[in-house]
Structure formats: structure tokens, C-alpha cells
């Protein structure tokens, strides 16, 4: 009792970052995105998306890797699952698509850990909640956040149009305006873990 | 009617004739309504069915509408005859609203403008609200539009009442052949008050369904709705902040006949033990009707205590805001706060620090979104700060490696760092530039601070440091009361707003340590610092301007991409979102306030 699960985190410097071809967003605007979501919903039903929380440590504090689009908008690496796809497999696929180098010899071995948060989208809107509102029986999307354990050395290739940032947890905490409700509450989801800060 | 008479009731002397528009406003409205012509004014902006206006405005007789104020759909006794019936002598025909589906009688214009479509009437919108015009005898009774328009809200919820049901409508007196027409047209739209007839005449397919529990699901509703026909869409309205249902929804059928049937038969149907209200509506009016419903519910539920709470909450809204929102932002904001804001102790302190860090960390310093109100709230107490600052400054100088750890030299570019207001910027050494004085706040993005450190999140500028820097308070002179500072500090602690407490305490502890050591030493340096502060303030101003520019740029970027996490507090692109957010935005603020208050209390 009272034993917290342990997560090993390594310093940012133990990872190597390269670049690869740009990975553009499929939608150019919010409206487009929601429209596409609606179309997909009609075809496939509720969308399930998976996102990964990748942690490194700096100064003995966990930092989360976020992809930054443009200058301000940050998102977690991950994406939509294909219909019927397994969550873990789908997440690995998305991680490789976003962050792994193209060459087959460098595929990271993603260790997908537990699911730490689930968010629901009740309507075709941008807002999500950590529960499905009681009057909604058909949510439009379910987003699951998984903790992914990185090994000590990894090579990441970041698409040219994105930046990969290591953001400290304290920066996310209570910072909804900048990161949105999903990302800004990650520190709370992770608070139950014990981080083993491995130094270089 | 004697518009003239009325008009002049309160009229100003210079009228030589009946100048409607010169009437005193209070009277003026009535005039308009009672005027023989010009129902246009009433209905101008309403999207009414074809013949409405024409039929309505027949110069001859203004109609009165009994207004069923407050007539709620739910089993209500027939509404009392509308009070404001103009004394024109016509008996306002009461609109009886027998029970729920009352059928108010409406009066039709004598000349049988036949074309009078209910909807059109409703277009009057306000009227729709509850009042159904009493049949004005051709005698020229005055329509009580005035009144009803005054109260559009009154009705909303009651759509049921709308019993207006088209069928219900009947004009009294004045023969109007419209009746038949009415019957025909009626089916379409009368939905309780839905004001806008738009398209209803032809057969409305949109219904407002309200008075639902927040746990009544879309599946429950659809199961029931499908009995009347094929449903195109059911759209629930929910609170943006929590996702909870507001208890009403908009239902679209493909077939207007189905819609009418549903409205007739499902009205009053029990969902989870509560009778619902069904009324014709148009997408725009659904929201209005829903708002009225919500308002009514709130009013009945509300007690004075609630009201007070709201008020109390108002007092600390800034605090609340700080607590929440994007610490980064306000950390900065706090700093940005110019001048001491009265006695608001800064609740933000800790957050500020964090914010700063964030900025530093961010590759692209986000534009401070704090809105002015919030910032103002910050106001830190200059005297408190000053004193603290003095001391802190010293402390800082004393040990650069102190609690805040970061050696100053490393930091600087943005000095004084923006820190929580309660932290004395002077603390951060550099000879007190921290003070940055009032209004000097370096740009919340903390200019230099953040800028420099873009690459490294894990920046050493300890958050403490940042905290300290921000506060600068106004640059109080050496005559500050140092001794009082510690007392004030304690007070400040108590005042701490939500969210600040934990970090504030941490910083406070650390600061204390430093302070003890350097108290005396600092006093000497204080004066020195004052001078430096002046210099720094100017620098800050420059930086601030730059940051403003950057911030604008970032804001644009964010707007483009930021939909994903568009927080409810932000502007939403979607119309729906915006509308929904509108009503709940207030709510989120009040939630924050309450939240902060709760935390505040618990900390004490």
C-alpha cells in the first residue's frame, strides 16, 4: 500500500534529435477539423484517439515532450486510431509516424505504459471533458493518454514543420490558457508516479 | 387611440403635434405600440412570415395582448388577465391559457387581414412570449405589445403555453376569415412563443424541448421522438464549463407534420419523472427559450444566500482568476500590473513565478492573455512590498545561491523579473532594480526572463527568484516601513488566493531564511537599489514594448492553431460554441471564484 509505480526518466541529453520531412496537419482550420470529424463519425462511429506522454528529466524535474505547431500551439504525439485497431499498437504506429526516423534500422521500441487519463468529446466541438457528460450517450471522440516509457537512448526524428519541446511539469500545471485542459492537467495525472531521475 | 394623448403624457413642451419620436422614452414605447400604424417598429427586426406585418398593422386597431406573464407551461392555472391592459376600453381578451396547452385567443385585426399568421405574430417575438393578444374589438383597443415586448423573457420557457397552438388562436371579434387560415398555418409554427416564424408558416420542423433533467439522455429523447417521425437531429445545450446539460434541446424533424405531431403530443411527456415542454422554435429562438428556462430555474432555486455568495465571489474574482488561468499568463499579468492596486494582496505570487518560468521555457512566449481586469486585481501592496523588497533585496544579494539559487548574473536580461507581486523585486538583487516600480512591470512574458531562456526549460532561475522579481512594487522609497513588512507578509499569506498558497508558502519560507540573514545588510543597499531601479524601469519599458509586439504575433499563431485546446475562456470560433460559451463563461468565472474562495478558506 502506498507504493507508487516507478517511472524512469533520463535527461534530455541522453536523446538524439534529428529531423525529417514535414508532417502537415490535415485540417487548416477548426471548422475543417470538426467537419472532417463529423464525416468520420458518420462512417466509423466514435473516434478513439491515443496520445503519448513521453517524459525526460532535467534538474530533477520531469519534463514532457510536446510537439509545437506554429509558434504557440502544443500537442501530444499521437493521433486517431483506425477502426478496430488496438490502442497500444495504434499508439506505437502514431509515435513512429511522428517521431521515429524513416529508416527501418532506427525504429524505437516504444514501451507503452498505462493509460493515465481519458477525455471525452460530447459534441462536434473543440471542448472535451474528463468524463462523458451524463446526458450524452454517443460521445463523438474518446481520447486516451498513455504514459510511454523511454529507454535511456533514443533517436527521434522530428518533422521539419514541428518543434519538439521538453516542457517541465510545473509549467503545465494550472496553465489551461496556454495548453488547454488536457495537457495542463497532466501533472495531476502523473502525481501518483514516483520518478526515478537517472542522471547522465 | 390617442397616440397623441399618450405621447404627450409626459411630453415635453415643445411638441406641437404628436411627435411620436419626441415622446419621453418611457412613454414612447407605449406610443409605439399603441400607435395605429407602425407596428413595423415592433417587428422590424423580426423575421416574420409573409403577411404578418401587413396583417398586423392595420391602422385601425391596435390589439391588446393579454400577456400571460409568467405563465408557465407546466400545469399552471390560467394566467390572470394581463395587468397592463390599456384602458382603452376593450376588454383585453384574455388569453386564456387553459392549463398547459392553453389556447389563447388572439385577436385579429378587424379587417381580417387574414394574412395574419401566427408566426408572424410571433415574430413579434416578444409577444410570443406569453401573451397572446386578446382580440381587440375593432374598437381600437390597444395592443399590449408594449408590455409584452417589455418582457420577452417572461415567456420563454413556457412554450407549452404556447398553446398558442395555432389552433388555439382565434381572433375574437372582428371577423376574420383568417381563422381558417390560421388553422392551416397554425400547425406550423406556433411553438410557444417561438418568436420567429421564419419558415414556420410553411411547416416548421424545429422544436424546442425543455424542462428536462440534466441526466435525461439523448437516447431517452430520441426513443420518444422517433415515435412521431424521423428525426434529423437532436442537439442538446450544455454548459460549456462542465458539459452538463442545460435541460433543453433543439429537435429537428425532416417532416413538419411529424414536428407538429410531436409538439402536440409529446408536450408534457414525462422524462425521468418530469414533464417536458415542447414548442415550435427556430434555431435562434431555441437558445432564447432555453435561457429563459434556465433563468427561471435559477430564480426559483436561488436564495439570497446564493446571491450573496455571488457577490462575495465578485470581490475576489481576480484572485480567482489568477488562481486558475494559465498561471503563466498571469504570473505575468501580475507583474504587468501597474501600480499597486489598492489592497489586493497579490494572490498571484507563486503563480507569477511559474508563469515566468513558463515563459522562459516556451519557445514562443505566449501572449499574455490576462485581461486587464485580472491584472488590476493584482495590485500588490506597495508598502508591503517595499519593505519586503528592501529586505529581500539584501537577502538576495546576500546569497545569490540562496533559495532562489540562480545567480543573478545569469539571469538578467530581464530585470526586474516579473514575479509575484508580493515578492519584492528588489529581492532579486541587481541592486534593486527589481523594483521596476509601478507600472514598470516588465512585460509579463517577462521579457528578458523568458526570452533568454527559451531553450532551456530547466532553467535554473529558481522559481523563487522569479517570484521575487515580479513583485516590485512600487518603488517605495527608503521610507518604507521595514518592520511592518513581516507582519504584512503574514497578512498576505492569509490573503492568498487560490492556487497561490502552496507555492507562496514555499517561497515565503525560503525568502524568510534569506531575509533573516540579511536584514541589516539590506537596508543599506536599499537606497542604492532605488537608484538602480529607476534605470531599470526604463529598460523594462522598452522590453515591454517589444514583447507586446511579439505577443501579438504569437496570438495570431495561436489563434490559427489553437483550436485544440481552446479553452472555454478563449474565444471560440464556432458560433455554437461561442453562444454556448457565452452563458457558461459567466459560469466558469463564478466557478473560479468559488473555487478560489473554497481553497482560500480551506487553507485557513
Amino acid at each position: 500500500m502506498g507504493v507508487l509505480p516507478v517511472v524512469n526518466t533520463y535527461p534530455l541529453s541522453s536523446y538524439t534529435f534529428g529531423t525529417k520531412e514535414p508532417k502537415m496537419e490535415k485540417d487548416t482550420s477548426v471548422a475543417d477539423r470538426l467537419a472532417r470529424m463529423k464525416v468520420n463519425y458518420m462512417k466509423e462511429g466514435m473516434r478513439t484517439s491515443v496520445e503519448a506522454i513521453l517524459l525526460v528529466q532535467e534538474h530533477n524535474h520531469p519534463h514532457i515532450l510536446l510537439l509545437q505547431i506554429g509558434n504557440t500551439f502544443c500537442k501530444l504525439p499521437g493521433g486517431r486510431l483506425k477502426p478496430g485497431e488496438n490502442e497500444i499498437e495504434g499508439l506505437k504506429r502514431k509515435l513512429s509516424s511522428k517521431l521515429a526516423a524513416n529508416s527501418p534500422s532506427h525504429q524505437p521500441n516504444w514501451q507503452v505504459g498505462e493509460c493515465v487519463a481519458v477525455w471525452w468529446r460530447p459534441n462536434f466541438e473543440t471542448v472535451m471533458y474528463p468524463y462523458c457528460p451524463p446526458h450524452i450517450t454517443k460521445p463523438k471522440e474518446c481520447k486516451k493518454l498513455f504514459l510511454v516509457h523511454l529507454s535511456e537512448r533514443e533517436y527521434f526524428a522530428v518533422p521539419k514543420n514541428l518543434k519538439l519541446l521538453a516542457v517541465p511539469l510545473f509549467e503545465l500545471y494550472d496553465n489551461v490558457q496556454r495548453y488547454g485542459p488536457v495537457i495542463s492537467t497532466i501533472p495531476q495525472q502523473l502525481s501518483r508516479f514516483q520518478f526515478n531521475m537517472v542522471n547522465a | 387611440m390617442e397616440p397623441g394623448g399618450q405621447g404627450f403624457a409626459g411630453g415635453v413642451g415643445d411638441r406641437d403635434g404628436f411627435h411620436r419620436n419626441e415622446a419621453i422614452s418611457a412613454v414612447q414605447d407605449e406610443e409605439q405600440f399603441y400607435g395605429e400604424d407602425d407596428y413595423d417598429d415592433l417587428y422590424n427586426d423580426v423575421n416574420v412570415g409573409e403577411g404578418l406585418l401587413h396583417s398586423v398593422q392595420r391602422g385601425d386597431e391596435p390589439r391588446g395582448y393579454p400577456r400571460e406573464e409568467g405563465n408557465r407551461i407546466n400545469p399552471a392555472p390560467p394566467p390572470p388577465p394581463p395587468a397592463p391592459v390599456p384602458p382603452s376600453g376593450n376588454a383585453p381578451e384574455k388569453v386564456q391559457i387553459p392549463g398547459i396547452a392553453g389556447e389563447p385567443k388572439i385577436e385579429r385585426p378587424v379587417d381580417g387581414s387574414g394574412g395574419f399568421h401566427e408566426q408572424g405574430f410571433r415574430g413579434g417575438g416578444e409577444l410570443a412570449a406569453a401573451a397572446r393578444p386578446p382580440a381587440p374589438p375593432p374598437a381600437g383597443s390597444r395592443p399590449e405589445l408594449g408590455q409584452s415586448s417589455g418582457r420577452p423573457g417572461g415567456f420563454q420557457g413556457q412554450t407549452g403555453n404556447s398553446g398558442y397552438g395555432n389552433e388555439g388562436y382565434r381572433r375574437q371579434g372582428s371577423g376574420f376569415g383568417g381563422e381558417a387560415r390560421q388553422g392551416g398555418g397554425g400547425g406550423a409554427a406556433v411553438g410557444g412563443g417561438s418568436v420567429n416564424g421564419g419558415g414556420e408558416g410553411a411547416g416548421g420542423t424545429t422544436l424546442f424541448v425543455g424542462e428536462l433533467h440534466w441526466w435525461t439522455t439523448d437516447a431517452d429523447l430520441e426513443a420518444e421522438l422517433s415515435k412521431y417521425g424521423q428525426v434529423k437531429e437532436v442537439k442538446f445545450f450544455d454548459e460549456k464549463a462542465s458539459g452538463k446539460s442545460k435541460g433543453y434541446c433543439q429537435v429537428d424533424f425532416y417532416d413538419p407534420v411529424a414536428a407538429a405531431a410531436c409538439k402536440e403530443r409529446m408536450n408534457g411527456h414525462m422524462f425521468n419523472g418530469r414533464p417536458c415542454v415542447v414548442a415550435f422554435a427556430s434555431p435562434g429562438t431555441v437558445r432564447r427559450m432555453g435561457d429563459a428556462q434556465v433563468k427561471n430555474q435559477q430564480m426559483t432555486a436561488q436564495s439570497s444566500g446564493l446571491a450573496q455568495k455571488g457577490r462575495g465571489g465578485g470581490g475576489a474574482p481576480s484572485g480567482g482568476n489568477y488562481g486558475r488561468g494559465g498561471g503563466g499568463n498571469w504570473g505575468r499579468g501580475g507583474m504587468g500590473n501597474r501600480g499597486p492596486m489598492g489592497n489586493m494582496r497579490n494572490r498571484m505570487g507563486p503563480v507569477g513565478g511559474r508563469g515566468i518560468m513558463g515563459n522562459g521555457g516556451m519557445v514562443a512566449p505566449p501572449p499574455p492573455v490576462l485581461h486587464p481586469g485580472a491584472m488590476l486585481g493584482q495590485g500588490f501592496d506597495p508598502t508591503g512590498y517595499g519593505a519586503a523588497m528592501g529586505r529581500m533585496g539584501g537577502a538576495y544579494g546576500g546569497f545569490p545561491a540562496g533559495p532562489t539559487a540562480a545567480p543573478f548574473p545569469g539571469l538578467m536580461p530581464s530585470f526586474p523579473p516579473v514575479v509575484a507581486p508580493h515578492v519584492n523585486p528588489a529581492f532579486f538583487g541587481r541592486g534593486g532594480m527589481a523594483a521596476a516600480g509601478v507600472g514598470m512591470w516588465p512585460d509579463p512574458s517577462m521579457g528578458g526572463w523568458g526570452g533568454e531562456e527559451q531553450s532551456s526549460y530547466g532553467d535554473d532561475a529558481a522559481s523563487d527568484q522569479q517570484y521575487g522579481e515580479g513583485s516590485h512594487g512600487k518603488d517605495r522609497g527608503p521610507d518604507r516601513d521595514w518592520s511592518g513588512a513581516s507582519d504584512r507578509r503574514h497578512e498576505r499569506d492569509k490573503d492568498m488566493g487560490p492556487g497561490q498558497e502552496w507555492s507562496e508558502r514555499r517561497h515565503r519560507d525560503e525568502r524568510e531564511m534569506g531575509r533573516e540573514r540579511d536584514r541589516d545588510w539590506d537596508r543599506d543597499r536599499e537606497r542604492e537599489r532605488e537608484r538602480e531601479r529607476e534605470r531599470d524601469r526604463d529598460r523594462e519599458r522598452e522590453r515591454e514594448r517589444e514583447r507586446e509586439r511579439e505577443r501579438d504575433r504569437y496570438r495570431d499563431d495561436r489563434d490559427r492553431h489553437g483550436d485544440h485546446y481552446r479553452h472555454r475562456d478563449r474565444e471560440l470560433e464556432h458560433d455554437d460554441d461561442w453562444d454556448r460559451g457565452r452563458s457558461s463563461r459567466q459560469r466558469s468565472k463564478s466557478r473560479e471564484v468559488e473555487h478560489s474562495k473554497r481553497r482560500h478558506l480551506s487553507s485557513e
Side-chain angles (χ1 to χ4, degrees):
Chain A
M1 72 157 57
V3 174
L4 303 177
V6 177
V7 176
N8 291 327
T9 53
Y10 303 93
L12 193 55
S13 55
S14 88
Y15 301 103
T16 317
F17 298 93
T19 60
K20 64 178 183 182
E21 75 286 352
K23 199 157 173 37
M24 304 311 294
E25 291 265 295
K26 292 200 194 93
D27 309 297
T28 52
S29 73
V30 180
D32 284 352
R33 196 162 69 91
L34 296 179
R36 192 164 65 91
M37 202 185 295
K38 210 180 263 196
V39 167
N40 285 329
Y41 183 83
M42 299 305 168
K43 285 193 297 185
E44 303 165 359
M46 183 182 80
R47 165 190 291 203
T48 307
S49 49
V50 286
E51 293 185 349
I53 296 177
L54 301 158
L55 294 170
V56 300
Q57 71 96 351
E58 282 295 309
H59 310 288
N60 270 350
H61 184 73
H63 288 53
I64 179 173
L65 296 182
L66 292 179
L67 287 169
Q68 186 180 48
I69 300 176
N71 270 333
T72 46
F73 180 57
C74 289
K75 60 175 195 172
L76 289 166
R80 184 167 68 96
L81 292 181
K82 298 202 208 300
E85 186 178 18
N86 171 272
E87 289 167 356
I88 311 290
E89 296 308 316
L91 183 56
K92 291 184 184 175
R93 171 175 69 82
K94 282 292 180 185
L95 283 172
S96 293
S97 149
K98 290 269 171 56
L99 291 178
N102 288 336
S103 73
S105 62
H106 278 108
Q107 293 306 307
N109 181 17
W110 304 108
Q111 306 284 334
V112 179
E114 55 183 291
C115 173
V116 299
V118 180
W119 288 79
W120 301 89
R121 188 189 305 274
N123 302 303
F124 293 114
E125 287 167 9
T126 53
V127 70
M128 297 188 81
Y129 302 98
Y131 43 77
C132 185
H135 66 288
I136 299 287
T137 54
K138 292 177 278 247
K140 307 301 181 279
E141 178 177 350
C142 171
K143 179 188 293 211
K144 296 190 174 180
L145 270 55
F146 288 87
L147 186 57
V148 173
H149 302 268
L150 293 176
S151 48
E152 188 167 7
R153 303 248 168 269
E154 296 281 2
Y155 174 71
F156 298 122
V158 182
K160 288 208 175 73
N161 60 319
L162 305 176
K163 286 192 266 273
L164 188 64
L165 309 178
V167 184
L169 291 191
F170 61 76
E171 161 69 5
L172 301 179
Y173 177 68
D174 211 18
N175 204 350
V176 176
Q177 286 190 13
R178 187 137 0 120
Y179 297 98
V182 176
I183 294 179
S184 67
T185 53
I186 287 177
Q188 285 92 319
Q189 323 291 6
L190 300 185
S191 66
R192 63 194 177 95
F193 293 102
Q194 183 181 338
F195 293 101
N196 176 20
M197 315 282 187
V198 179
N199 286 309
Chain B
M1 114 133 161
E2 320 54 52
Q6 291 214 285
F8 292 144
V12 203
D14 72 330
R15 266 195 276 211
D16 52 355
F18 172 64
H19 297 294
R20 199 168 304 181
N21 43 2
E22 288 176 36
I24 289 182
S25 59
V27 176
Q28 187 167 13
D29 290 347
E30 281 177 18
E31 266 185 282
Q32 281 178 345
F33 297 128
Y34 295 119
E36 301 150 16
D37 33 342
D38 289 332
Y39 280 108
D40 278 340
D41 296 340
L42 257 190
Y43 301 112
N44 253 352
D45 56 337
V46 174
N47 172 19
V48 300
E50 289 282 318
L52 171 63
L53 255 199
H54 307 306
S55 50
V56 171
Q57 37 180 180
R58 271 324 145 194
D60 325 327
E61 13 246 41
R63 316 199 196 108
Y65 301 97
R67 221 162 304 207
E68 304 117 29
E69 317 239 359
N71 181 16
R72 274 195 175 221
I73 289 173
N74 282 347
V85 173
S88 54
N90 16 334
E93 286 31 337
K94 69 323 322 51
V95 175
Q96 269 351 33
I97 296 229
I100 286 180
E103 323 219 319
K105 303 202 168 237
I106 323 188
E107 241 193 279
R108 259 211 220 164
V110 186
D111 51 7
S113 16
F116 180 87
H117 292 263
E118 289 313 315
Q119 297 121 7
F121 216 52
R122 230 118 9 83
E126 287 112 16
L127 300 193
R132 264 322 67 153
S141 55
R142 272 169 218 199
E144 296 177 12
L145 285 186
Q147 271 105 12
S148 49
S149 54
R151 223 188 355 81
F155 135 106
Q156 317 274 3
Q158 330 341 8
T159 58
N161 210 349
S162 308
Y164 292 159
N166 299 305
E167 312 70 88
Y169 264 155
R170 229 155 290 37
R171 275 329 190 28
Q172 297 183 6
S174 51
F176 46 80
E179 218 143 313
R181 182 166 340 175
Q182 199 171 44
V190 185
S194 21
V195 179
N196 176 1
E200 291 174 12
T205 55
T206 302
L207 297 178
F208 163 90
V209 180
E211 293 292 322
L212 302 170
H213 285 297
W214 54 262
W215 63 81
T216 297
T217 70
D218 46 12
D220 293 341
L221 217 64
E222 280 166 13
E224 186 60 28
L225 290 169
S226 55
K227 297 181 186 163
Y228 302 96
Q230 193 182 7
V231 178
K232 183 160 95 172
E233 186 190 12
V234 173
K235 181 164 89 159
F236 268 84
F237 287 74
D238 44 31
E239 288 178 18
K240 199 65 157 184
S242 67
K244 170 184 155 202
S245 161
K246 283 184 178 165
Y248 63 94
C249 62
Q250 175 181 324
V251 174
D252 283 295
F253 281 94
Y254 285 108
D255 178 13
V257 170
C262 175
K263 183 226 174 278
E264 285 313 304
R265 291 170 20 212
M266 198 173 92
N267 192 23
H269 177 90
M270 293 288 207
F271 281 106
N272 305 127
R274 180 166 166 182
C276 71
V277 159
V278 185
F280 282 106
S282 72
T285 61
V286 170
R287 194 156 291 153
R288 219 183 314 172
M289 290 151 94
D291 286 346
Q293 171 186 306
V294 168
K295 213 178 313 178
N296 285 320
Q297 288 168 350
Q298 281 176 356
M299 283 179 350
T300 53
Q302 211 165 50
S303 60
S304 59
L306 285 184
Q308 282 159 16
K309 180 155 78 127
R311 258 175 272 123
S318 359
N321 285 342
Y322 300 152
R324 291 285 172 115
N329 273 348
W330 55 263
R332 274 173 297 156
M335 306 315 141
N337 192 357
R338 305 315 167 76
M341 282 318 287
N343 17 348
M344 288 261 270
R345 281 310 158 111
N346 250 307
R347 316 252 179 107
M348 298 202 359
V351 178
R354 176 162 42 90
I356 296 193
M357 255 333 243
N359 276 327
M362 296 297 294
V363 172
V369 182
L370 241 211
H371 64 94
M375 297 218 353
L376 290 189
Q378 283 305 316
F380 37 71
D381 177 356
T383 53
Y385 291 112
M389 281 179 49
R391 245 175 322 182
M392 299 214 164
Y396 227 68
F399 24 176
T404 57
F408 265 168
L411 297 188
M412 275 354 325
S414 59
F415 212 93
V418 178
V419 291
H422 68 283
V423 178
N424 185 338
F427 188 11
F428 293 90
R430 262 261 242 169
M433 55 165 307
V438 186
M440 249 342 293
W441 267 151
D443 172 346
S445 337
M446 198 25 197
W449 206 221
E452 311 321 325
E453 304 160 2
Q454 304 223 337
S455 49
S456 74
Y457 272 99
D459 166 43
D460 2 35
S463 38
D464 272 349
Q465 214 171 20
Q466 291 170 348
Y467 275 78
E469 313 215 353
S471 62
H472 18 249
K474 333 347 216 24
D475 160 42
R476 280 310 141 88
D479 47 32
R480 219 158 305 180
D481 175 351
W482 303 120
S483 54
S486 53
D487 294 337
R488 248 176 260 109
R489 192 158 30 92
H490 294 305
E491 286 177 5
R492 231 179 292 126
D493 294 343
K494 286 197 221 97
D495 288 340
M496 251 187 305
Q500 316 315 335
E501 288 140 7
W502 59 271
S503 44
E504 174 111 8
R505 258 182 233 121
R506 189 162 41 93
H507 295 293
R508 230 181 309 132
D509 292 344
E510 292 168 322
R511 251 181 281 125
E512 259 171 323
M513 289 180 331
R515 249 181 248 130
E516 304 305 331
R517 281 176 246 166
D518 300 300
R519 194 160 305 196
D520 304 329
W521 186 59
D522 291 352
R523 297 229 181 102
D524 298 334
R525 312 190 25 151
E526 181 56 25
R527 258 162 257 124
E528 189 187 0
R529 262 175 254 124
E530 300 288 352
R531 270 173 255 127
E532 295 189 61
R533 266 178 235 143
E534 297 296 339
R535 268 177 269 132
D536 294 323
R537 230 167 282 142
D538 294 334
R539 258 180 270 137
E540 288 315 319
R541 270 190 221 113
E542 300 277 332
R543 260 182 247 121
E544 219 174 315
R545 264 178 246 122
E546 282 179 24
R547 269 173 240 126
E548 289 288 346
R549 272 176 254 128
E550 272 182 70
R551 232 180 290 140
D552 291 340
R553 238 188 301 129
Y554 292 131
R555 200 174 294 130
D556 289 341
D557 284 339
R558 188 172 8 160
D559 286 346
R560 256 179 260 126
H561 298 281
D563 55 286
H564 299 266
Y565 65 89
R566 195 140 287 176
H567 185 56
R568 65 184 88 104
D569 288 336
R570 299 202 49 196
E571 246 183 59
L572 302 169
E573 288 187 8
H574 257 242
D575 291 345
D576 282 354
D577 286 351
W578 186 80
D579 282 344
R580 287 190 206 169
R582 218 178 351 151
S583 51
S584 53
R585 222 171 269 148
Q586 319 268 329
R587 176 174 180 260
S588 56
K589 281 213 191 85
S590 62
R591 268 178 97 198
E592 287 181 4
V593 167
E594 291 179 25
H595 177 69
S596 64
K597 279 172 49 187
R598 234 177 288 129
R599 286 172 72 174
H600 180 68
L601 291 173
S602 61
S603 73
E604 302 197 355

